[in-house]
Structure formats: C-alpha cells, structure tokens
Amino acid sequence: MVHNVVIFGAPGSGKGTQSTLIAEKYGLKHLSTGDLLRAEVEKGSEIGKQIEALISQGNLVPDELIINMLSGVLNEDKQSAGFIFDGFPRTTGQAEALKTMLKDHGMDVGLVINLNVGQEELINRLLYRSISSGRTDDNYETIQHRIQVYHEKTAPVKHFYEREGCAREINGTGSLSEIFERICTTLDAVLLNKL
Ligand code: B4P
C-alpha cells in the first residue's frame, strides 16, 4: 500500500529536519520543494534566477511553477512506497492540485503532520541556521516576512486538511528525538488503521 504524508508548519518548524528521519524510517521518498527550487537556482538557469529573486525576498514562487515541478517528479517516480511532501503544499491552490495529481495516480494524502512551534523559537532557529546555511533568506528581515507570508498564504492549508479529516497537530518543540517520537506515534496509529 502507498502512504503519502505531508509535513506542514511555519518556516523553521523543523519540516526538513523531521522529514529526513521519517523518510529513512518508513521508506518514503522525501520531496522538499525548497530543495528542488534551490537545485534549480544552483543551475544558474533563467528560471533559477527568477526563483532566487523570490526566495531571497521571502516570497513564495508561483503555484504554476511548483505544481509543474512536482507533477514531473510524481510522473517519473512510480516505484516509491509513498512520499513525504516537505514544504508543499504552501497555498490552498497547491493543496487542490496535489489532491488531483495523487488521484490521477490512484493515491491520496494519508496524513498531514502540523508542527506547532512558537514565533520566537522559529526566529531563533532560523537565525542560528543562518550561521552555517549560506541561505540568502536566513536573515532577520526576510525571516519576519516569511513568517508573515506563512500566516497569510500557507496557514489556510491547515483548514483544507482539517476538512479532509487527515490533519494531526504535533508539538514541534523539544529535542529532535522527542519530536520524532511524537510523529512516529501518530504515524504508526494512522498506518495501523489503514492496514
Ligand atoms: P524551505 O526549504 O521549505 O524552508 P523552511 O520552511 O525555512 O525550513 P524548514 O521548516 O524545513 O526548517 P528546518 O527543518 O530546516 O523553503 C524555502 C523557500 O522556498 C520558501 O520560503 C519559499 O520561498 C520557497 N518555496 C518552497 N516551497 C514552496 C512552495 N511549495 N510554494 C512556493 N514557494 C516555495 O529547520 C530550521 C532550523 O531549525 C534548522 O537549522 C534545524 O537544525 C533547526 N531545528 C529543527 N528542529 C529543531 C529542534 N527541535 N530544536 C532546535 N532546532 C531545531
């Protein structure tokens, strides 16, 4: 059976960090739209330059671009036991598109993990990450803007999945292993019910 998980939360909530652990334990393919976009920027392509300008200002890239990118990856990969979507969907338009894309492949979203972390902690984590990340969007002004964009455009995605009945809240503070344990408890319960 194929299982698809969405990991959801504000910038710095630990989506990327926890996705790596989940992918390894459950054999899921980790799809990070942030990583896919940064890879495009690295290529130095024309589209990469446009993406870099948006990311470095803390803005989202257009839905159409992200959806096409994801659709290409889903079409290429037919072997996976399921995906962990990290950083996607970030708008309700993307959530609708994901639903349609997965349906076309006979799949759905089984679980949405919503990582809850307070604003002060988010900012501190991202400022700490800025010491080593080299990311143009890890600076105080851009972090604040990213959190604002999250509240305006991304937070409504949570209500989309609450309506779908697959959203679960997880306390995203504490050590990495404590948070991972909480996620595994929730994920195992959902998987057992589905078997
Ligand atoms: P992302 O790459 O998704 O970046 P993020 O939201 O900043 O990071 P994440 O929440 O994964 O944090 P992490 O685990 O690293 O997006 C970057 C940009 O790309 C977006 O702003 C947007 O412009 C664009 N983009 C991406 N997807 C898009 C989409 N679908 N549509 C449109 N645009 C899109 O954790 C952060 C830090 O905290 C790390 O340093 C980590 O070590 C630390 N940390 C994690 N857990 C911790 C814990 N428990 N305690 C202490 N520190 C912890």
Side-chain angles (χ1 to χ4, degrees), residues 66-123:
I66 282 284
I67 291 163
N68 285 339
M69 192 179 259
L70 248 289
S71 159
V73 177
L74 288 180
N75 285 332
E76 273 168 27
D77 196 314
K78 299 196 167 40
Q79 309 295 326
S80 294
F83 295 93
I84 174 133
F85 295 98
D86 160 15
F88 178 88
R90 259 178 159 95
T91 63
T92 44
Q94 292 180 17
E96 297 277 7
L98 179 62
K99 188 174 178 179
T100 307
M101 281 190 279
L102 290 178
K103 200 170 169 194
D104 289 347
H105 290 82
M107 299 189 283
D108 64 4
V109 170
L111 174 66
V112 176
I113 296 162
N114 180 25
L115 286 176
N116 270 323
V117 178
Q119 180 145 326
E120 203 182 323
E121 167 108 14
L122 294 173
I123 294 172

Side-chain angles (χ1 to χ4, degrees), residues 11-41:
S13 56
K15 301 184 294 288
T17 309
Q18 294 295 333
S19 293
T20 307
L21 301 171
I22 298 167
E24 197 181 334
K25 175 164 178 178
Y26 293 92
L28 302 180
K29 185 169 170 109
H30 180 188
L31 277 182
S32 157
T33 42
D35 287 348
L36 290 172
L37 292 169
R38 283 184 287 275
E40 194 61 45
V41 171

Side-chain angles (χ1 to χ4, degrees), residues 10-17 33-34 37-38 55 59-61 66 87-88 90 94 125-126 129 135 137 146 174 176 179:
S13 56
K15 301 184 294 288
T17 309
T33 42
L37 292 169
R38 283 184 287 275
I55 290 184
N59 291 316
L60 298 180
V61 307
I66 282 284
F88 178 88
R90 259 178 159 95
Q94 292 180 17
R125 284 184 188 179
L126 293 174
R129 185 172 74 182
R135 278 175 52 166
D137 56 346
R146 284 159 67 196
L176 296 190
I179 299 163

